[in-house]
Amino acid sequence: MISRREVEHVARLARLHFDEEELARLQPELEQIIGYVEQLSELDLSGLETTSHAVAIKNALRPDEPWTGLTHEEAMANGPAVERGSFVVPRIG
Amino acid sequence: MTTGAETWEAVIGLEIHVQLSTRTKMFCGCELSFGDPPNTHVCPICLGHPGVLPVTNEKAIEYATRIALALDCHIAPRTIFHRKNYFYPDLPKAYQISQYDLPLGLAGHLDVEMEDGSMFRVGITRVHMEEDAGKLVHAGGIAGRIAGADYSLVDFNRGGTPLVEIVTEPDITTPDQARAFLTQLRSLVQQLGVSDVNMEEGSLRCDANVSVRHPGEPFGTKTELKNMNSFRFLHRGLEAEIERQIDTIEFGGRVVQETIHFDPATGKVSSLRSKEEAHDYRYFPEPDLPPVELDAEYVDKVRASLPELPAARKERLVDQHGLTGKEAALLAANKSLGDYFETLAGATGDARTSVNWVLGDLSAYLNVSGHEVADCPVQPAALAELLALLKDGTLSGKMAKEVFEAMCETRKPAADIVAEKGLGQISDTSALEAIVARVVEANPGPAEEFRQGRDKVLGFFVGQIMKETKGQANPGLVNELLRKHLQKG
């Protein structure tokens, strides 16, 4: 069961705002999704290690060598507001 | 700690972040920098652009392994990264790549020595790897403060810098212990050569989990104390927070689990009153980064490459050079000073005199001048020359100090300064004998007194001879010659 409070909590964590109607619709939807995945718990998986990665590779490392990243202009090109070489963000908190 | 009728004990655990001094960031090849213009060391990966693939820096793994091993941690044979999800403007991906339930190192410890020579052990819960966030500058309002700022500026040069987080067990009970632990941890990490560990520049950061209780009782509610960016502030912040908690309880209140901010300007602590809900980071395995599996061979190789660590060096300095535990601890905690001592002791063959000078005059000079050992104007070979002049009697202890000061100022060799200043103690028996004879002859009264058994009069004669020789007579020799002459009558 997904409670109304849980839906609101998850929405807040994701910084999503829903009105009453949307919240009412999301609750059964989320419940369905979770319920679908929950079928897995019907299986006995006790002997299996938790899968964290779908591909069986390990130690994909790179040497500690610098590369040329973006130029400052390129980096800032996507910033909606730029000041003193920095990205401007609205006041925090 | 006792306030009023009640006895309180603090319980402190520390979380330390160490910025690694690799050339490039944790998951991309952007160079690490400090003080460069904003957003000049960035790329699509550390800016969190969509569709990019982070790749782990192998040097960062090695450095983190060095730290974990130096703290006697167990190295996990398989370690993975997790995403720690939260929104903040300095975190472009809205998650930090960190580690969660499979960290690199577990269950280590560090033995810490207090100033009085007592030791205590701090358990290390875990050592894990993660990436640093960007840097925020708050504009408008009170300069630099987040509260009341109109807007903020984000610089991602620091974003993605490799960090190692070290979490201790709650084994620390006083601000003094916390400071001693952090000081020794800093020196350890410094000697590993994996970080600049500079608190002011933020390459070493420390948060504290603090609670208070009556001894023997279960743990109280803890708060997380943040923003202590120097050793002094760590100490003061802890003191203030412990006091605040005790006051709260003694006045009938309750400590609430929250984040407490230390303000260096006022020395006060205050609640951040964060609107955030209880931390809910929804950790999940980072699918873009395959697991890291370090085999025994790799771990052994890293272990073999570790330099002599402070604890081992301390022991060796005691055994090999006959230093006291305290002397050895001081030298072991400061690698360059320890190296200086060992080079000097090697050159002079006299560890006792060497350690006295290194911890005495040399340390005093370094403290006052603010020089690092590396740029000290008097390096071990030059000091060894001075100590040779002391040993062969050319200089008295007092003169040697004077020459040392001049050497620091002028960078000239000891012998040159002795010649220039006309220093050098008169140790020539025949030269001194003439003076002694003259002084004894000129003072028949006191000479008679001495012969009557008034030993004290000797001091008068020594004084006269020092005056005649401008303090350059070898005092031992003067004493010996005086007694001989006076007894002759």
Side-chain angles (χ1 to χ4, degrees):
Chain A
M1 270 295 282
I2 299 288
S3 71
R4 166 70 173 251
R5 270 194 63 184
E6 281 171 306
V7 179
E8 288 174 2
H9 176 64
V10 173
R12 233 181 344 260
L13 287 173
R15 301 290 192 275
L16 294 173
H17 300 281
F18 296 115
D19 59 27
E20 275 305 312
E21 204 179 308
E22 287 168 314
L23 284 169
R25 182 168 53 82
L26 279 166
Q27 189 178 342
E29 275 185 17
L30 279 175
E31 209 165 288
Q32 237 182 348
I33 294 166
I34 298 288
Y36 174 70
V37 177
E38 204 142 52
Q39 292 179 66
L40 280 174
S41 59
E42 289 166 20
L43 301 172
D44 178 13
L45 302 173
S46 51
L48 286 178
E49 215 178 297
T50 312
T51 305
S52 57
H53 295 81
V55 189
I57 50 170
K58 59 177 186 184
N59 298 347
L61 306 175
R62 69 176 168 84
D64 184 26
E65 281 159 17
W67 68 25
T68 308
L70 297 176
T71 64
H72 178 68
E73 290 65 33
E74 286 168 337
M76 307 314 285
N78 289 323
V82 172
E83 185 183 309
R84 284 178 270 166
S86 294
F87 295 99
V88 176
V89 295
R91 56 177 294 174
I92 301 162
Chain B
M1 181 166 332
T2 308
T3 67
E6 296 183 75
T7 304
W8 291 98
E9 173 186 88
V11 178
I12 303 166
L14 299 178
E15 286 179 20
I16 297 100
H17 285 92
V18 174
Q19 257 183 5
L20 300 181
S21 53
T22 49
R23 291 185 68 193
T24 67
K25 294 184 179 181
M26 186 80 197
F27 301 114
C28 66
C30 291
E31 264 185 291
L32 302 193
S33 60
F34 184 81
D36 282 356
N39 298 301
T40 51
H41 299 280
V42 290
C43 75
I45 292 176
C46 57
L47 286 174
H49 288 185
V52 295
L53 187 70
V55 185
T56 308
N57 182 341
E58 65 182 3
K59 202 75 183 174
I61 301 275
E62 185 195 322
Y63 282 6
T65 307
R66 286 169 84 93
I67 292 177
L69 285 173
L71 291 169
D72 265 318
C73 283
H74 168 70
I75 303 293
R78 177 173 181 274
T79 183
I80 69 171
F81 290 98
H82 270 72
R83 291 187 182 179
K84 179 181 180 178
N85 299 280
Y86 64 96
F87 288 108
Y88 211 69
D90 60 8
L91 195 67
K93 300 189 295 296
Y95 59 84
Q96 177 193 31
I97 303 177
S98 181
Q99 296 199 280
Y100 186 52
D101 57 354
L102 291 169
L104 177 71
L106 282 168
H109 64 262
L110 180 65
D111 289 322
V112 179
E113 179 162 349
M114 298 295 289
E115 247 173 58
D116 65 6
S118 64
M119 303 286 295
F120 72 105
R121 173 168 287 196
V122 177
I124 303 295
T125 315
R126 54 188 280 145
V127 170
H128 78 236
M129 300 174 282
E130 60 187 29
E131 56 175 344
D132 208 345
K135 212 170 185 168
L136 290 170
V137 175
H138 306 297
I142 304 166
R145 300 252 188 121
I146 187 167
D150 298 323
Y151 58 93
S152 300
L153 302 174
V154 197
D155 167 16
F156 288 112
N157 280 350
R158 195 182 68 179
T161 297
L163 292 181
V164 162
E165 179 175 328
I166 300 160
V167 182
T168 80
E169 292 289 300
D171 291 341
I172 297 166
T173 56
T174 65
D176 282 349
Q177 281 189 347
R179 184 168 53 192
F181 169 80
L182 192 62
T183 307
Q184 278 158 66
L185 178 69
R186 177 179 183 271
S187 137
L188 177 72
V189 174
Q190 193 167 40
Q191 300 196 21
L192 294 173
V194 299
S195 171
D196 302 333
V197 281
N198 182 325
M199 281 192 96
E200 281 73 24
E201 289 181 2
S203 51
L204 175 70
R205 290 171 237 157
C206 182
D207 300 329
N209 288 303
V210 189
S211 63
V212 298
R213 63 171 172 184
H214 297 297
E217 287 185 356
F219 291 149
T221 304
K222 68 181 180 192
T223 58
E224 192 180 2
L225 184 57
K226 287 187 173 279
N227 199 38
M228 298 162 294
N229 62 352
S230 74
F231 288 92
R232 196 160 57 95
F233 291 156
L234 170 70
H235 194 267
R236 281 173 56 190
L238 285 170
E239 269 184 340
E241 175 56 10
I242 291 166
E243 196 181 297
R244 187 193 68 85
Q245 290 191 12
I246 293 172
D247 280 354
T248 303
I249 299 170
E250 289 194 343
F251 284 99
R254 207 166 52 84
V255 174
V256 190
Q257 183 157 0
E258 61 183 339
T259 303
I260 300 286
H261 187 86
F262 174 73
D263 183 356
T266 62
K268 294 209 170 99
V269 289
S270 57
S271 165
L272 273 183
R273 288 196 177 283
S274 55
K275 281 178 274 174
E276 64 182 315
E277 339 194 0
H279 293 316
D280 188 348
Y281 293 127
R282 293 147 294 144
Y283 282 97
F284 65 87
E286 165 60 275
D288 288 343
L289 293 166
V292 176
E293 296 186 18
L294 304 177
D295 56 24
E297 196 190 335
Y298 176 85
V299 176
D300 287 345
K301 211 177 79 193
V302 175
R303 199 192 308 272
S305 77
L306 295 182
E308 184 183 35
L309 301 178
R313 186 174 212 185
K314 185 194 156 195
E315 217 165 285
R316 187 175 57 76
L317 287 174
V318 171
D319 292 347
Q320 187 181 330
H321 295 290
L323 305 192
T324 67
K326 194 169 174 183
E327 290 165 343
L330 284 166
L331 293 174
N334 181 335
K335 178 159 174 15
S336 44
L337 201 63
D339 291 348
Y340 190 110
F341 161 74
E342 294 209 60
T343 311
L344 181 63
T348 61
D350 181 349
R352 179 47 34 210
T353 307
S354 299
V355 72
N356 288 345
W357 274 80
V358 169
L359 294 179
D361 292 80
L362 180 74
S363 291
Y365 169 75
L366 293 173
N367 279 338
V368 171
S369 67
H371 275 108
E372 295 295 327
V373 174
D375 13 274
C376 177
V378 180
Q379 289 296 310
L383 184 52
E385 287 173 17
L386 172 63
L387 298 189
L389 294 176
L390 179 65
K391 192 163 197 174
D392 72 11
T394 307
L395 295 175
S396 69
K398 195 167 156 246
M399 288 172 180
K401 282 173 191 291
E402 195 184 327
V403 173
F404 176 73
E405 278 170 28
M407 288 168 76
C408 290
E409 262 170 49
T410 62
R411 294 176 185 261
K412 288 182 185 164
D416 289 7
I417 289 165
V418 169
E420 273 172 29
K421 293 196 172 227
L423 289 170
Q425 145 170 280
I426 305 170
S427 297
D428 176 349
T429 311
S430 56
L432 269 184
E433 214 149 42
I435 301 170
V436 169
R438 197 163 68 231
V439 170
V440 170
E441 207 173 313
N443 295 283
E448 185 51 35
E449 279 183 55
F450 180 83
R451 283 188 286 270
Q452 302 292 330
R454 284 201 60 201
D455 227 39
K456 271 194 191 157
V457 185
L458 199 64
F460 162 78
F461 282 107
V462 172
Q464 291 298 309
I465 287 157
M466 284 302 174
K467 211 159 120 191
E468 289 251 335
T469 60
K470 300 198 178 72
Q472 293 185 20
N474 179 329
L477 195 55
V478 168
N479 262 293
E480 189 190 313
L481 292 174
L482 263 174
R483 285 183 183 280
K484 211 169 80 191
H485 270 270
L486 287 167
Q487 263 139 17
K488 265 201 306 206

